[in-house]
Amino acid sequence: MVYQSNINSAPLEQAIDRHPLMVSPETPFVDVLRLMCKLQSSYNLPNVNISKNGKNDDSVLSSQAKATIVLVVENKSTLLGIFTTSDLVKLIATDKISNLDNVSESLTIADVMSATVVILKESDEQDLFTALSLFREHKISHLPVVDSKSQIVGVVTPERIRQVLQPSNILRLRRVNEVKNDIPAVTTPKTSSLLKISKLMSEQQLSCLVITEEKKLKTQKTSIEKPVGLITTDDIVQSYFIDLDFAQTPVTKIMKTTLNCLKPTDSLWDAHQKMLKDQVQILVVCGRQGELQGIVHQTSLLQVLDPTVMFSMVRKLRKDVNQLQAEKFELLRTRNAELEKEVRARTAEIQAQLERDRLLAHIALRIHQSLNLDEIINAAVMEVQQFLNADRVVLVRVESSTVARVVAESVASNYDSCLGDVIPVKCLINKCIIQAITNIEESELDAEEIARLQQKQVKAFLKVPILEDGQLWGIMSTHQCSGEREWQSSEIDLLTQLATQLAIAIQQAQLYQQVQTLNTDLERQVQERTAQLEQKVKELEQLNILKDDFLSTVSHELRTPLSNMKMAIYMLSIMPTSERCQQYLHILDTECKREIELITDLLDLQRLEAGGESVCLDSLDLADWLPNILEPFKSRTQERQQKLKVKSPKKLPKIRSNNNSLSRILAELLNNACKYTQDGGEVKFTIEFDRIKDNKKSLDETPSMIKFIISNPSEIPESELPKIFNKFYRVPNADPWKQGGTGLGLALVKKLVEQLQGDLSVVSSNGRTTFTVELPM
């Protein structure tokens, strides 16, 4: 099968191994095996120092190597088939070749090679992504490359591609647990033989196998599978080349016991760097207690670089932004509905209160307008009867210790009048408290009182006392004659207040003052509630403005790089000259990085604002660590004829902080300082310590806090200082060089400093702006 790419990507040429091992089809298979053994570079198996004569020999494997593929060609150029280490493991597992010395001389490489070969045709338009797609689609790890005449050019492997690509930004966005391969549900003890392991790897089509042992947890009654070693097809091949007895040799003799472990939360960039540093292709993924959770192969890293995978990630981020917009809109709509409901409820409550207050004010006004007590009490009972829609309202005045009389009444035309009736004081049950009786026949009133009320057609009543200087002056009683009535608390409150007004009417001078005070208080309550509602509306409007600003900024910042990339792609299609291609490829690379930086900042901000994530503290030797942070900015300032002045104590101590977070904080602040400094300006970077006296008798002082102070010659208006840590906020007219930016940098810095339990402050005056980061030692 031949494949040809359509994407121009020069780095594929760098990934081609142009000197593969090639043999003719009639070459004896035993010669191929010996040639593979001879051409392999130094690669010692662990725990194996045994020569064929049984004696220890540290140099047995010193000339052995990994030659993982042999190309079978005709006429030195036409590809007929391939033979890989995986094919060799299958032959060993099926016991077709027990050892190197017993391989039949008549067996040729053509008899054991794989004739069905997936190849890549070399062209000016070949690219790495086509090779990656073929690796994934056909589950292969070797891809022969031929020219237009089907002549062998070389071989491409995932390892070669990974060494060419350095996709730091994309790999930093993904985590190990997203791409790790789970270990197959096949277990084998450490005492298993190499032959059994070979069969297992051949049956399961595995390129590696993790050897585990069961470990019981002390604090729990469960057990875990803990990795103790790793074995690959290369290890099986090496064992075959040194003529080990596969049936008798246990796997512990050749497995690698020094495991390269990762945590599920590590980034794929960490995995990539570890593979390069330790020169391995497989890493083991372990949990917090050392339990095996899977493996990460170099192919797993390369799959992330598939354009479809990257497109899916961008599409998911867009979907998340759209979902966030919809959620914010729904939240705004819900809050609007709740606020409207609350406003309606409060409006109804205020209106009812105002109506009661209006009645009280009206009665109070009539009381104030007259010094005649009869006019006052008659006006009161009439207003109450109309307002409560009662059948009868009477006012009973206590004339002596034994006699009381009805002195005022307002009654419906179809009920008898009680005006002038004399009532014994003893019948005024509980005369000094409020009584609300829903049904007199079901009440606890005595028979005499019930009979008297029934004679007056009363079925329910509400009585409130009128007190003057603590003494009972009389009683206002509201009667319901048409049927029973459930008295509301607002009605009881109304009559209680009215009784108070009538009591005050006895002392006319005091009545006016109290009514005025009551009106003032009511107006204040209305104003306060109105002010509260206006404040609620303002807060809602501000929230809506912030939402619109946020969505507008995010949409603009996401669309601008995409528009530039679309333009560059179109120009590439119509102007294929080499100089133009490089120009537009540079635009694509720049805008892609800009898009990735914005998405990274958004994700970091979302993660930090969500909180709950623990931060790991590292031991940092400032003397060694700090130059790595400052060196890029020294070069940058020199390019713009700026000066970077560093001031710090001669002896810098070690501190405990998070390496990534602290690096990000200082880099962002230094970047801003250089960015907003004119050519020839001076940027200052200072380190200071706050010290506390030791409680011991010695005069030594122990540093408790460290300060990083970054200053540059530009001034931020005082009115803008409180806003500079807001997301997407940029100080107006502060960038005369038009260098651009998203406005997320300082917001991230503030969140990172808070995560490290530190403090971030800024001062801007006299033509300089100074940021101070204070962190605990």
Side-chain angles (χ1 to χ4, degrees), residues 262-320:
L262 291 171
K263 295 181 293 185
T265 55
D266 288 342
S267 69
L268 295 186
W269 176 251
D270 296 331
H272 173 66
Q273 293 293 91
K274 198 171 187 63
M275 286 183 182
L276 291 178
K277 178 181 178 181
D278 299 336
Q279 296 184 352
V280 295
Q281 301 177 13
I282 300 169
L283 298 174
V284 178
V285 183
C286 296
R288 292 183 177 180
Q289 297 176 323
E291 73 276 14
L292 178 64
Q293 293 190 353
I295 61 173
V296 172
H297 196 272
Q298 63 178 357
T299 308
S300 306
L301 303 183
L302 296 177
Q303 288 177 358
V304 178
L305 306 180
D306 194 310
T308 58
V309 175
M310 291 187 286
F311 179 76
S312 297
M313 182 177 179
V314 173
R315 185 169 57 185
K316 181 179 181 300
L317 289 173
R318 287 182 179 174
K319 182 178 179 181
D320 291 343

Side-chain angles (χ1 to χ4, degrees), residues 313-428:
M313 182 177 179
V314 173
R315 185 169 57 185
K316 181 179 181 300
L317 289 173
R318 287 182 179 174
K319 182 178 179 181
D320 291 343
V321 171
N322 292 336
Q323 182 178 358
L324 178 61
Q325 182 178 3
E327 289 176 355
K328 286 184 177 294
F329 179 78
E330 179 62 22
L331 178 60
L332 182 61
R333 188 192 65 78
T334 302
R335 289 186 177 178
N336 280 335
E338 292 176 351
L339 183 58
E340 289 176 358
K341 183 178 179 181
E342 183 180 351
V343 168
R344 286 195 297 269
R346 292 189 178 182
T347 300
E349 180 183 348
I350 291 174
Q351 288 177 346
Q353 179 65 38
L354 288 175
E355 189 64 24
R356 292 193 296 270
D357 295 342
R358 185 201 63 78
L359 176 61
L360 289 173
H362 179 63
I363 295 175
L365 179 60
R366 296 188 64 175
I367 292 173
H368 278 291
Q369 289 175 345
S370 176
L371 296 178
N372 188 314
L373 185 58
D374 291 337
E375 291 181 3
I376 293 173
I377 59 179
N378 284 321
V381 295
M382 183 181 65
E383 293 286 352
V384 170
Q385 194 243 343
Q386 292 178 356
F387 183 78
L388 297 182
N389 194 23
D391 297 327
R392 183 193 294 120
V393 177
V394 298
L395 194 146
V396 180
R397 179 175 182 178
V398 177
E399 296 182 346
S400 65
S401 59
T402 56
V403 177
R405 186 185 300 274
V406 178
V407 295
E409 178 187 48
S410 179
V411 61
S413 58
N414 55 335
Y415 296 107
D416 297 338
S417 173
C418 298
L419 186 62
D421 289 355
V422 176
I423 302 173
V425 173
K426 64 179 182 178
C427 293
L428 302 179

Side-chain angles (χ1 to χ4, degrees), residues 566-621:
K566 183 177 179 181
M567 179 275 295
I569 292 172
Y570 172 75
M571 296 304 294
L572 280 173
S573 66
I574 64 175
M575 302 187 69
T577 63
S578 175
E579 181 179 353
R580 290 290 185 177
C581 286
Q582 292 301 320
Q583 177 182 354
Y584 294 123
L585 284 173
H586 177 71
I587 293 175
L588 283 174
D589 181 64
T590 302
E591 295 302 325
C592 184
K593 289 179 180 178
R594 178 181 173 187
E595 187 83 1
I596 291 172
E597 288 175 358
L598 175 59
I599 293 172
T600 301
D601 290 344
L602 282 172
L603 291 176
D604 288 344
L605 262 181
Q606 182 181 8
R607 172 177 57 81
L608 291 171
E609 289 178 346
E613 181 179 350
S614 60
V615 60
C616 298
L617 297 182
D618 309 312
S619 179
L620 303 178
D621 189 342

Side-chain angles (χ1 to χ4, degrees), residues 38 91 110 113 131 153 188 242 527 540 548 594 690 723 773:
K38 181 179 180 181
L91 293 176
M113 73 178 183
V153 174
T188 181
I242 64 174
Q527 291 175 356
L540 193 59
D548 291 341
R594 178 181 173 187
D690 286 344
K723 307 174 186 177
V773 178

Side-chain angles (χ1 to χ4, degrees), residues 750-762:
K750 185 173 181 62
K751 290 294 182 182
L752 290 171
V753 172
E754 292 175 353
Q755 188 183 49
L756 295 177
Q757 299 181 354
D759 182 64
L760 175 63
S761 60
V762 58

